[in-house]
Amino acid sequence: MIRRNYIFAPGPVSVPPQVLAATAKPIIHHRSADFDPLFQKVSEGLKYVFQTTNPVVIFASSGTGAMEAAIVSSASPGDRVLSLEAGKFGERWGEIAQAFGLNVQRRACEWGKAVDPNVVAEELKQHPETKAVYLELCETSTATLENVKAVAEVTRNTETLLIVDAVSGLAADELRMDEWGVDLVGAGSQKAMMLPPGLGFVAVSAKAREAIKKSTTPKFYFSLEKALKELEKNTTPFTPAVSLLFGLEVALDMIREEGIENIWKRHARLAEASRRAVRAMNLELYSKNPANTCTAVLAPEGIEGGKIVKALKAKGITIAGGQGPLKGKIFRFATLGWYNDYDVLTIIAAIEEVLAELGHKFQPGAGVNAAMEYLRQNP
Amino acid sequence: MIRRNYIFAPGPVSVPPQVLAATAKPIIHHRSADFDPLFQKVSEGLKYVFQTTNPVVIFASSGTGAMEAAIVSSASPGDRVLSLEAGKFGERWGEIAQAFGLNVQRRACEWGKAVDPNVVAEELKQHPETKAVYLELCETSTATLENVKAVAEVTRNTETLLIVDAVSGLAADELRMDEWGVDLVGAGSQKAMMLPPGLGFVAVSAKAREAIKKSTTPKFYFSLEKALKELEKNTTPFTPAVSLLFGLEVALDMIREEGIENIWKRHARLAEASRRAVRAMNLELYSKNPANTCTAVLAPEGIEGGKIVKALKAKGITIAGGQGPLKGKIFRFATLGWYNDYDVLTIIAAIEEVLAELGHKFQPGAGVNAAMEYLRQNP
């Protein structure tokens, strides 16, 4: 078979060729009139993806930079904040808040389960001074969907901000920022936005904006206050990553054409087909509340998870292993962003091949058939 | 005439098509073996550009992010630092240091002149506890070359670090980091590195590395300590801007092929030709110690500088105006990065056209002829 490379990791994702081509356009000067229509278009277009009428700031950074911006711009040293940590990425927000001297309550939650909104309600009752709650949309390390809507119901009529890390979840798992009442949402470019890595996004509610005015945490590059002020003038405080914005323009056109709700449905359908395939291959899902962003699978007894990742890699197929305590215990694959039914068949077929080679017992073809059947019956 | 767009601003610069094409390559996973040779190659290649054997960290950020990393990673709140500010970009480093609570001595120096190294010697004599000195390589807002070598002679045998902003100057103006004894050098991708914006670089001396270990300034994304630790494992703490690294690989090949000293000479030659053309057009240079990065020209009496910028823009040619107190008083053009003799003729010819339209008195063709003559006599 002619070797081709496939990326089925939960980010970075395959970038559509028309987006790649746009990123190679000749550079324009970001402090000239050439830049204005591009920046206005992508800034407006992003609002649709976040389902908000509020401004969305764009940083030249990874998704982590976007989350740092959300944290350092919305609180002051010593402020009590609640970090809900049910995986590797949830832990990162606690680490950032600690690095900047916030009084962060790092609540370790059970991995692979959604956080109980009552935990938040209880905390806010006892500590109404809590400045912000940090939550994932999708906890990528466990492929688990959090219940952002339910937590937002707890925070929305309080002084407390809800800050959501949607780095991997944006445009894959449902997120209605304004309708649900989320205050700050951070994301990155290399996931369902279908771009190369290098852009960080932060959407900012009116409530968050008020908090930002009062924040005294030291910051410069990641100051949302500065970025919002410049955004009003249709520009950025520092040099933007122009070529990635060319790509963003094309990706946003694709998103608008398909429709964000259709995109969520597509991800849900491809993820459900993947989950059915997993079970049909005699495997177990790791998460009790799986996200549509990616699928985490328990490695079968006697087979180290990393071996599955490595064997797929030898075929040119990139997926991800487990992180932290899940290292070797799970493997994770995504159908995230620019993916369709045939991509599901590709990754499931490849997993079948590898599992057979590694001696896992299952009916050959069962995975592919289960996925196909579900996709056929749920067009 | 068929309209084409030309960028002669002091960054962003024209990106060679082979570099643009490389940035459009299909994405690879930064946490897979596919990434290892690329990252190793570009990390090594950058050392040559900085003329150092020390590590060079790559951030997904603009050049300002790189400078923030250098500042917040090398000092602690309350530390005395000296910021030498002879222009808009020099002022930025003082602003960053202030934002992070350093005891920053913001020394306003005369714009358009190089800072006197004796100022630094005097300061260090009176305040040997000075943690770091911040200096530009090229102050882009005034097109002035600083005397980094002379200032490094003052700092190199002390405990004080010399931190240089080479965002616009790197690979244009001579810089020998190790030989001169510079401790931290920050730069960006969109200048003489011939790339789109979106990468920040920081080169770190052994002396700086010791200081980094002791720094308690709050930081996360821009922690050099974290980045250096990961760099030793040939990786990055957070998702790198992979597509720009593909471009960097090609740009570094081009730099290596031409040779860094030849590149400095090329910039010096094109800048000198530009300066001679300026004088031949009956105009005056703004800077008393002009850099080779770009050329700043005093707008002729009665003609607002912005009008010259605008008139060139109408022809598809982007240059830059003055910033801060120099707004309207100067205009700046660069032959920076991927530029040759014919580019000098293009920009000078266009300036001649515009000056004639705006009523400036000079001998038509004088600028182009002066540039051509110099280039011919200095091959």
Side-chain angles (χ1 to χ4, degrees):
Chain A
M1 188 157 85
I2 283 182
R3 187 188 167 96
R4 272 172 52 194
N5 289 318
Y6 296 86
I7 291 198
F8 287 101
V13 299
S14 278
V15 178
Q18 59 270 49
V19 175
L20 285 176
T23 64
K25 279 164 73 173
I27 285 302
I28 54 172
H29 197 305
H30 55 283
R31 302 287 182 237
S32 84
D34 302 338
F35 183 65
D36 298 346
L38 170 69
F39 193 60
Q40 185 162 7
K41 192 176 162 194
V42 296
S43 299
E44 282 304 311
L46 281 173
K47 294 180 181 181
Y48 175 67
V49 183
F50 285 82
Q51 290 285 289
T52 185
T53 58
N54 290 306
V56 184
V57 164
I58 307 174
F59 287 100
S61 78
S62 78
T64 301
M67 291 311 300
E68 178 170 320
I71 290 172
V72 300
S73 296
S74 63
S76 301
D79 276 354
R80 188 185 178 98
V81 295
L82 175 66
S83 176
L84 300 162
E85 305 183 2
K88 201 76 186 144
F89 290 93
E91 288 175 355
R92 180 168 294 173
W93 315 137
E95 289 165 17
I96 297 175
Q98 258 172 352
F100 285 91
L102 308 190
N103 171 12
V104 51
Q105 308 299 310
R106 298 185 59 178
R107 186 70 64 97
C109 306
E110 195 180 337
W111 286 35
K113 282 191 176 168
V115 173
D116 181 358
N118 292 323
V119 167
V120 180
E122 196 52 48
E123 174 80 14
L124 293 200
K125 211 164 122 192
Q126 287 191 23
H127 295 283
E129 78 278 17
T130 300
K131 194 85 195 171
V133 174
Y134 305 150
L135 183 66
E136 307 295 293
L137 173 58
C138 164
E139 170 54 62
T140 321
S141 67
T142 66
T144 299
L145 184 69
E146 291 294 350
N147 197 343
V148 171
K149 190 182 177 187
V151 174
E153 273 163 24
V154 176
T155 55
R156 68 181 302 167
N157 294 318
T158 69
E159 292 286 297
T160 307
L161 301 175
L162 177 57
I163 307 189
V164 168
D165 164 14
V167 170
S168 73
L170 185 75
D173 289 305
E174 185 180 3
L175 173 70
R176 299 178 189 272
M177 184 175 170
D178 286 2
E179 192 185 315
W180 294 353
V182 186
D183 296 302
L184 285 158
V185 181
S189 50
Q190 78 280 17
K191 312 281 182 172
M193 293 301 294
M194 307 181 290
L195 287 164
L199 296 180
F201 309 119
V202 189
V204 185
S205 76
K207 183 173 150 191
R209 200 144 185 183
E210 286 309 305
I212 285 167
K213 284 181 194 157
K214 292 172 201 145
S215 158
T216 63
T217 306
K219 56 192 158 284
F220 192 84
Y221 188 80
F222 287 127
S223 163
L224 283 177
E225 193 177 18
K226 216 165 354 204
L228 287 166
K229 214 173 115 188
E230 296 301 317
L231 186 55
E232 275 168 20
K233 297 181 260 168
N234 193 39
T235 187
T236 56
F238 312 115
T239 307
V242 172
S243 56
L244 295 175
L245 297 182
F246 284 138
L248 178 58
E249 184 181 19
V250 175
L252 287 170
D253 283 345
M254 292 171 73
I255 288 172
R256 180 69 87 164
E257 198 187 354
E258 185 175 359
I260 191 73
E261 298 196 335
N262 292 329
I263 289 173
W264 295 334
K265 276 183 211 154
R266 173 165 56 81
H267 281 86
R269 181 171 166 272
L270 298 180
E272 180 58 28
S274 304
R275 294 188 287 256
R276 288 182 183 228
V278 164
R279 291 191 205 99
M281 289 184 285
N282 239 349
L283 295 167
E284 252 180 86
L285 294 171
Y286 172 75
S287 179
K288 303 293 175 237
N289 195 42
N292 297 323
T293 304
C294 63
T295 300
V297 186
L298 280 165
E301 205 155 318
I303 302 177
E304 208 267 343
K307 274 199 176 157
I308 298 166
V309 177
K310 211 175 257 179
L312 283 165
K313 188 79 195 176
K315 294 177 185 293
I317 294 170
T318 305
I319 65 162
Q323 294 173 288
L326 293 178
K327 205 176 161 149
K329 295 192 179 143
I330 62 168
F331 62 93
R332 295 173 296 148
F333 66 96
T335 37
L336 175 63
W338 190 59
Y339 292 90
N340 69 13
D341 298 16
Y342 305 122
D343 294 306
V344 175
L345 301 189
T346 298
I347 179 62
I348 299 299
I351 291 173
E352 284 205 10
E353 285 179 345
V354 158
L355 286 176
E357 285 164 26
L358 292 171
H360 174 59
K361 296 277 174 274
F362 71 107
Q363 177 65 41
V368 168
N369 284 332
M372 281 176 73
E373 197 187 326
Y374 175 79
L375 293 171
R376 202 163 46 231
Q377 290 178 355
N378 298 273
Chain B
M1 188 157 86
I2 283 182
R3 189 189 166 96
R4 272 171 54 192
N5 290 317
Y6 297 86
I7 292 198
F8 287 102
V13 299
S14 277
V15 178
Q18 59 270 48
V19 174
L20 285 176
T23 64
K25 279 165 73 172
I27 284 302
I28 55 172
H29 197 305
H30 55 283
R31 302 289 182 234
S32 83
D34 302 338
F35 183 65
D36 298 347
L38 170 68
F39 193 60
Q40 185 161 10
K41 191 176 162 195
V42 297
S43 300
E44 280 305 310
L46 281 174
K47 294 181 184 182
Y48 174 67
V49 183
F50 285 83
Q51 290 287 289
T52 185
T53 58
N54 289 304
V56 184
V57 165
I58 307 173
F59 288 100
S61 78
S62 78
T64 301
M67 291 311 301
E68 177 170 323
I71 289 172
V72 300
S73 295
S74 63
S76 302
D79 276 355
R80 186 185 180 97
V81 295
L82 175 65
S83 178
L84 300 163
E85 307 183 1
K88 200 76 187 142
F89 290 92
E91 288 174 357
R92 181 169 292 173
W93 316 138
E95 289 165 17
I96 298 175
Q98 258 171 354
F100 285 90
L102 307 191
N103 171 12
V104 50
Q105 308 299 310
R106 297 185 60 178
R107 185 71 65 100
C109 307
E110 195 180 339
W111 286 34
K113 283 193 176 167
V115 174
D116 181 358
N118 291 324
V119 167
V120 181
E122 197 52 45
E123 174 81 14
L124 294 200
K125 209 164 125 191
Q126 288 192 23
H127 295 283
E129 78 278 18
T130 301
K131 194 84 196 173
V133 174
Y134 305 150
L135 183 67
E136 308 295 292
L137 173 57
C138 164
E139 169 56 61
T140 322
S141 67
T142 66
T144 300
L145 184 68
E146 291 294 350
N147 197 344
V148 171
K149 189 181 178 189
V151 174
E153 273 163 24
V154 177
T155 56
R156 69 181 302 166
N157 294 317
T158 68
E159 292 286 298
T160 307
L161 300 174
L162 177 57
I163 307 190
V164 168
D165 164 13
V167 170
S168 72
L170 186 75
D173 288 305
E174 184 179 4
L175 173 70
R176 300 178 188 271
M177 185 178 171
D178 287 2
E179 194 185 313
W180 294 354
V182 186
D183 296 301
L184 285 158
V185 181
S189 50
Q190 78 279 17
K191 311 280 183 171
M193 293 302 293
M194 307 181 289
L195 287 163
L199 296 181
F201 309 118
V202 189
V204 186
S205 76
K207 181 172 150 191
R209 201 145 185 181
E210 287 309 304
I212 285 167
K213 285 182 193 154
K214 291 172 202 146
S215 159
T216 63
T217 306
K219 56 192 156 282
F220 192 84
Y221 188 80
F222 287 127
S223 163
L224 283 177
E225 192 176 20
K226 216 164 359 204
L228 287 165
K229 215 173 114 187
E230 297 301 318
L231 185 55
E232 274 167 19
K233 297 183 260 168
N234 194 38
T235 186
T236 56
F238 312 115
T239 306
V242 173
S243 55
L244 295 176
L245 297 182
F246 284 138
L248 178 57
E249 184 182 19
V250 176
L252 286 170
D253 283 345
M254 291 170 73
I255 288 171
R256 179 71 87 167
E257 198 187 350
E258 185 175 358
I260 191 73
E261 298 196 335
N262 292 329
I263 289 172
W264 295 333
K265 275 183 212 155
R266 173 165 55 82
H267 282 86
R269 182 172 166 273
L270 298 181
E272 180 57 29
S274 304
R275 293 187 288 255
R276 288 183 182 229
V278 164
R279 290 191 207 101
M281 289 183 286
N282 238 348
L283 295 168
E284 250 181 87
L285 294 172
Y286 173 74
S287 179
K288 303 292 175 237
N289 195 41
N292 298 323
T293 303
C294 63
T295 299
V297 186
L298 280 166
E301 204 155 317
I303 302 177
E304 207 265 344
K307 274 200 176 156
I308 297 167
V309 177
K310 211 175 256 177
L312 284 164
K313 189 77 192 177
K315 295 177 184 294
I317 294 171
T318 305
I319 65 163
Q323 294 174 289
L326 293 178
K327 205 173 162 157
K329 294 191 180 145
I330 62 167
F331 61 94
R332 295 173 296 147
F333 65 96
T335 37
L336 176 62
W338 190 60
Y339 291 89
N340 69 14
D341 298 16
Y342 305 122
D343 294 306
V344 175
L345 301 189
T346 299
I347 179 63
I348 299 299
I351 292 174
E352 285 205 10
E353 284 180 345
V354 158
L355 286 176
E357 283 164 28
L358 292 172
H360 175 60
K361 296 274 173 278
F362 70 107
Q363 175 67 40
V368 169
N369 284 332
M372 280 176 73
E373 196 185 327
Y374 176 79
L375 293 171
R376 201 165 46 232
Q377 291 179 354
N378 298 272

mmCIF file of all heavy atoms in Angstrom, chain A residues 335-360:
data_model
loop_
_atom_site.group_PDB
_atom_site.id
_atom_site.type_symbol
_atom_site.label_atom_id
_atom_site.label_comp_id
_atom_site.label_asym_id
_atom_site.label_seq_id
_atom_site.Cartn_x
_atom_site.Cartn_y
_atom_site.Cartn_z
ATOM 1 N N THR A 335 -11.651 12.004 15.876
ATOM 2 C CA THR A 335 -12.154 12.358 14.543
ATOM 3 C C THR A 335 -12.630 13.790 14.744
ATOM 4 O O THR A 335 -13.782 14.054 14.993
ATOM 5 C CB THR A 335 -13.289 11.419 14.102
ATOM 6 O OG1 THR A 335 -14.082 11.091 15.244
ATOM 7 C CG2 THR A 335 -12.721 10.128 13.543
ATOM 8 N N LEU A 336 -11.653 14.674 14.686
ATOM 9 C CA LEU A 336 -11.793 16.035 15.204
ATOM 10 C C LEU A 336 -11.487 17.028 14.091
ATOM 11 O O LEU A 336 -10.403 17.024 13.527
ATOM 12 C CB LEU A 336 -10.786 16.192 16.352
ATOM 13 C CG LEU A 336 -10.621 17.557 17.021
ATOM 14 C CD1 LEU A 336 -11.912 17.997 17.701
ATOM 15 C CD2 LEU A 336 -9.499 17.487 18.068
ATOM 16 N N GLY A 337 -12.474 17.879 13.798
ATOM 17 C CA GLY A 337 -12.257 18.887 12.775
ATOM 18 C C GLY A 337 -12.699 18.390 11.414
ATOM 19 O O GLY A 337 -13.852 18.001 11.232
ATOM 20 N N TRP A 338 -11.752 18.375 10.495
ATOM 21 C CA TRP A 338 -12.054 18.093 9.085
ATOM 22 C C TRP A 338 -12.057 16.575 8.835
ATOM 23 O O TRP A 338 -11.178 16.046 8.199
ATOM 24 C CB TRP A 338 -10.983 18.792 8.251
ATOM 25 C CG TRP A 338 -11.224 18.845 6.786
ATOM 26 C CD1 TRP A 338 -12.273 19.395 6.136
ATOM 27 C CD2 TRP A 338 -10.349 18.340 5.772
ATOM 28 N NE1 TRP A 338 -12.109 19.276 4.781
ATOM 29 C CE2 TRP A 338 -10.941 18.629 4.531
ATOM 30 C CE3 TRP A 338 -9.129 17.673 5.796
ATOM 31 C CZ2 TRP A 338 -10.355 18.277 3.325
ATOM 32 C CZ3 TRP A 338 -8.542 17.318 4.603
ATOM 33 C CH2 TRP A 338 -9.152 17.613 3.377
ATOM 34 N N TYR A 339 -13.067 15.873 9.377
ATOM 35 C CA TYR A 339 -13.131 14.408 9.297
ATOM 36 C C TYR A 339 -14.530 13.975 8.909
ATOM 37 O O TYR A 339 -15.507 14.635 9.248
ATOM 38 C CB TYR A 339 -12.750 13.784 10.645
ATOM 39 C CG TYR A 339 -11.295 13.985 10.988
ATOM 40 C CD1 TYR A 339 -10.874 15.107 11.697
ATOM 41 C CD2 TYR A 339 -10.332 13.070 10.570
ATOM 42 C CE1 TYR A 339 -9.535 15.314 11.977
ATOM 43 C CE2 TYR A 339 -8.988 13.265 10.847
ATOM 44 C CZ TYR A 339 -8.597 14.388 11.546
ATOM 45 O OH TYR A 339 -7.277 14.589 11.817
ATOM 46 N N ASN A 340 -14.591 12.833 8.222
ATOM 47 C CA ASN A 340 -15.897 12.319 7.818
ATOM 48 C C ASN A 340 -15.985 10.797 8.044
ATOM 49 O O ASN A 340 -15.088 10.202 8.647
ATOM 50 C CB ASN A 340 -16.190 12.714 6.355
ATOM 51 C CG ASN A 340 -15.282 11.982 5.363
ATOM 52 O OD1 ASN A 340 -14.591 11.010 5.711
ATOM 53 N ND2 ASN A 340 -15.284 12.452 4.137
ATOM 54 N N ASP A 341 -17.055 10.193 7.550
ATOM 55 C CA ASP A 341 -17.311 8.767 7.764
ATOM 56 C C ASP A 341 -16.121 7.890 7.356
ATOM 57 O O ASP A 341 -15.785 6.923 8.044
ATOM 58 C CB ASP A 341 -18.529 8.321 6.934
ATOM 59 C CG ASP A 341 -19.804 9.052 7.337
ATOM 60 O OD1 ASP A 341 -19.712 10.105 8.022
ATOM 61 O OD2 ASP A 341 -20.893 8.584 6.966
ATOM 62 N N TYR A 342 -15.516 8.218 6.221
ATOM 63 C CA TYR A 342 -14.433 7.370 5.713
ATOM 64 C C TYR A 342 -13.208 7.429 6.612
ATOM 65 O O TYR A 342 -12.423 6.478 6.689
ATOM 66 C CB TYR A 342 -14.091 7.760 4.269
ATOM 67 C CG TYR A 342 -15.313 7.710 3.378
ATOM 68 C CD1 TYR A 342 -15.742 8.837 2.681
ATOM 69 C CD2 TYR A 342 -16.075 6.545 3.270
ATOM 70 C CE1 TYR A 342 -16.879 8.798 1.889
ATOM 71 C CE2 TYR A 342 -17.224 6.510 2.487
ATOM 72 C CZ TYR A 342 -17.621 7.636 1.795
ATOM 73 O OH TYR A 342 -18.752 7.594 1.025
ATOM 74 N N ASP A 343 -13.052 8.570 7.297
ATOM 75 C CA ASP A 343 -11.945 8.671 8.247
ATOM 76 C C ASP A 343 -12.165 7.735 9.436
ATOM 77 O O ASP A 343 -11.219 7.148 9.959
ATOM 78 C CB ASP A 343 -11.789 10.119 8.723
ATOM 79 C CG ASP A 343 -11.352 11.046 7.588
ATOM 80 O OD1 ASP A 343 -10.336 10.735 6.954
ATOM 81 O OD2 ASP A 343 -12.047 12.040 7.341
ATOM 82 N N VAL A 344 -13.421 7.615 9.859
ATOM 83 C CA VAL A 344 -13.719 6.684 10.962
ATOM 84 C C VAL A 344 -13.347 5.267 10.525
ATOM 85 O O VAL A 344 -12.683 4.524 11.263
ATOM 86 C CB VAL A 344 -15.204 6.748 11.370
ATOM 87 C CG1 VAL A 344 -15.515 5.690 12.432
ATOM 88 C CG2 VAL A 344 -15.564 8.136 11.888
ATOM 89 N N LEU A 345 -13.737 4.914 9.319
ATOM 90 C CA LEU A 345 -13.420 3.562 8.837
ATOM 91 C C LEU A 345 -11.910 3.356 8.774
ATOM 92 O O LEU A 345 -11.400 2.283 9.126
ATOM 93 C CB LEU A 345 -14.045 3.324 7.469
ATOM 94 C CG LEU A 345 -15.569 3.476 7.428
ATOM 95 C CD1 LEU A 345 -16.115 3.009 6.090
ATOM 96 C CD2 LEU A 345 -16.240 2.709 8.566
ATOM 97 N N THR A 346 -11.201 4.388 8.348
ATOM 98 C CA THR A 346 -9.742 4.289 8.243
ATOM 99 C C THR A 346 -9.111 4.005 9.602
ATOM 100 O O THR A 346 -8.324 3.060 9.755
ATOM 101 C CB THR A 346 -9.171 5.604 7.657
ATOM 102 O OG1 THR A 346 -9.702 5.784 6.353
ATOM 103 C CG2 THR A 346 -7.654 5.569 7.595
ATOM 104 N N ILE A 347 -9.457 4.822 10.591
ATOM 105 C CA ILE A 347 -8.794 4.641 11.888
ATOM 106 C C ILE A 347 -9.233 3.331 12.546
ATOM 107 O O ILE A 347 -8.405 2.607 13.129
ATOM 108 C CB ILE A 347 -9.007 5.876 12.824
ATOM 109 C CG1 ILE A 347 -8.333 5.654 14.195
ATOM 110 C CG2 ILE A 347 -10.464 6.242 13.023
ATOM 111 C CD1 ILE A 347 -6.853 5.470 14.138
ATOM 112 N N ILE A 348 -10.510 2.954 12.399
ATOM 113 C CA ILE A 348 -10.967 1.701 13.023
ATOM 114 C C ILE A 348 -10.312 0.502 12.329
ATOM 115 O O ILE A 348 -9.854 -0.440 12.990
ATOM 116 C CB ILE A 348 -12.513 1.587 12.977
ATOM 117 C CG1 ILE A 348 -13.154 2.759 13.755
ATOM 118 C CG2 ILE A 348 -12.966 0.244 13.539
ATOM 119 C CD1 ILE A 348 -12.820 2.840 15.227
ATOM 120 N N ALA A 349 -10.231 0.544 11.013
ATOM 121 C CA ALA A 349 -9.586 -0.554 10.279
ATOM 122 C C ALA A 349 -8.132 -0.707 10.719
ATOM 123 O O ALA A 349 -7.638 -1.827 10.936
ATOM 124 C CB ALA A 349 -9.657 -0.301 8.775
ATOM 125 N N ALA A 350 -7.459 0.429 10.893
ATOM 126 C CA ALA A 350 -6.053 0.375 11.296
ATOM 127 C C ALA A 350 -5.918 -0.178 12.708
ATOM 128 O O ALA A 350 -5.002 -0.963 13.005
ATOM 129 C CB ALA A 350 -5.441 1.773 11.198
ATOM 130 N N ILE A 351 -6.818 0.235 13.588
ATOM 131 C CA ILE A 351 -6.776 -0.291 14.967
ATOM 132 C C ILE A 351 -7.025 -1.799 14.939
ATOM 133 O O ILE A 351 -6.359 -2.570 15.646
ATOM 134 C CB ILE A 351 -7.797 0.446 15.871
ATOM 135 C CG1 ILE A 351 -7.348 1.903 16.100
ATOM 136 C CG2 ILE A 351 -7.960 -0.266 17.215
ATOM 137 C CD1 ILE A 351 -8.357 2.783 16.838
ATOM 138 N N GLU A 352 -7.978 -2.242 14.127
ATOM 139 C CA GLU A 352 -8.240 -3.686 14.006
ATOM 140 C C GLU A 352 -6.974 -4.440 13.600
ATOM 141 O O GLU A 352 -6.625 -5.469 14.200
ATOM 142 C CB GLU A 352 -9.347 -3.944 12.974
ATOM 143 C CG GLU A 352 -10.739 -3.627 13.491
ATOM 144 C CD GLU A 352 -11.822 -4.435 12.750
ATOM 145 O OE1 GLU A 352 -11.461 -5.369 11.986
ATOM 146 O OE2 GLU A 352 -13.001 -4.147 12.959
ATOM 147 N N GLU A 353 -6.301 -3.931 12.580
ATOM 148 C CA GLU A 353 -5.067 -4.581 12.099
ATOM 149 C C GLU A 353 -4.051 -4.728 13.218
ATOM 150 O O GLU A 353 -3.460 -5.797 13.424
ATOM 151 C CB GLU A 353 -4.417 -3.738 10.982
ATOM 152 C CG GLU A 353 -5.118 -3.819 9.639
ATOM 153 C CD GLU A 353 -4.417 -2.940 8.577
ATOM 154 O OE1 GLU A 353 -3.581 -2.073 8.955
ATOM 155 O OE2 GLU A 353 -4.710 -3.114 7.404
ATOM 156 N N VAL A 354 -3.873 -3.629 13.938
ATOM 157 C CA VAL A 354 -2.855 -3.598 14.989
ATOM 158 C C VAL A 354 -3.231 -4.512 16.155
ATOM 159 O O VAL A 354 -2.386 -5.241 16.697
ATOM 160 C CB VAL A 354 -2.651 -2.126 15.436
ATOM 161 C CG1 VAL A 354 -2.051 -2.051 16.809
ATOM 162 C CG2 VAL A 354 -1.795 -1.398 14.409
ATOM 163 N N LEU A 355 -4.506 -4.471 16.535
ATOM 164 C CA LEU A 355 -4.946 -5.312 17.652
ATOM 165 C C LEU A 355 -4.761 -6.792 17.307
ATOM 166 O O LEU A 355 -4.351 -7.595 18.153
ATOM 167 C CB LEU A 355 -6.417 -5.037 17.980
ATOM 168 C CG LEU A 355 -6.712 -3.722 18.696
ATOM 169 C CD1 LEU A 355 -8.220 -3.546 18.850
ATOM 170 C CD2 LEU A 355 -6.032 -3.651 20.068
ATOM 171 N N ALA A 356 -5.059 -7.142 16.060
ATOM 172 C CA ALA A 356 -4.888 -8.538 15.624
ATOM 173 C C ALA A 356 -3.411 -8.929 15.716
ATOM 174 O O ALA A 356 -3.072 -10.001 16.246
ATOM 175 C CB ALA A 356 -5.408 -8.706 14.195
ATOM 176 N N GLU A 357 -2.544 -8.053 15.237
ATOM 177 C CA GLU A 357 -1.092 -8.316 15.306
ATOM 178 C C GLU A 357 -0.619 -8.501 16.742
ATOM 179 O O GLU A 357 0.275 -9.298 17.027
ATOM 180 C CB GLU A 357 -0.305 -7.139 14.695
ATOM 181 C CG GLU A 357 -0.325 -7.058 13.176
ATOM 182 C CD GLU A 357 0.121 -5.677 12.660
ATOM 183 O OE1 GLU A 357 0.877 -4.984 13.381
ATOM 184 O OE2 GLU A 357 -0.313 -5.317 11.558
ATOM 185 N N LEU A 358 -1.212 -7.717 17.653
ATOM 186 C CA LEU A 358 -0.758 -7.757 19.055
ATOM 187 C C LEU A 358 -1.458 -8.862 19.849
ATOM 188 O O LEU A 358 -1.231 -9.012 21.050
ATOM 189 C CB LEU A 358 -0.976 -6.396 19.717
ATOM 190 C CG LEU A 358 -0.101 -5.241 19.189
ATOM 191 C CD1 LEU A 358 -0.556 -3.908 19.764
ATOM 192 C CD2 LEU A 358 1.374 -5.478 19.516
ATOM 193 N N GLY A 359 -2.326 -9.635 19.196
ATOM 194 C CA GLY A 359 -2.907 -10.797 19.851
ATOM 195 C C GLY A 359 -4.187 -10.565 20.633
ATOM 196 O O GLY A 359 -4.614 -11.429 21.411
ATOM 197 N N HIS A 360 -4.819 -9.407 20.435
ATOM 198 C CA HIS A 360 -6.103 -9.180 21.111
ATOM 199 C C HIS A 360 -7.176 -10.032 20.432
ATOM 200 O O HIS A 360 -7.204 -10.176 19.210
ATOM 201 C CB HIS A 360 -6.459 -7.688 21.027
ATOM 202 C CG HIS A 360 -7.823 -7.363 21.571
ATOM 203 N ND1 HIS A 360 -8.197 -7.622 22.867
ATOM 204 C CD2 HIS A 360 -8.904 -6.774 20.983
ATOM 205 C CE1 HIS A 360 -9.450 -7.218 23.058
ATOM 206 N NE2 HIS A 360 -9.893 -6.698 21.914
#
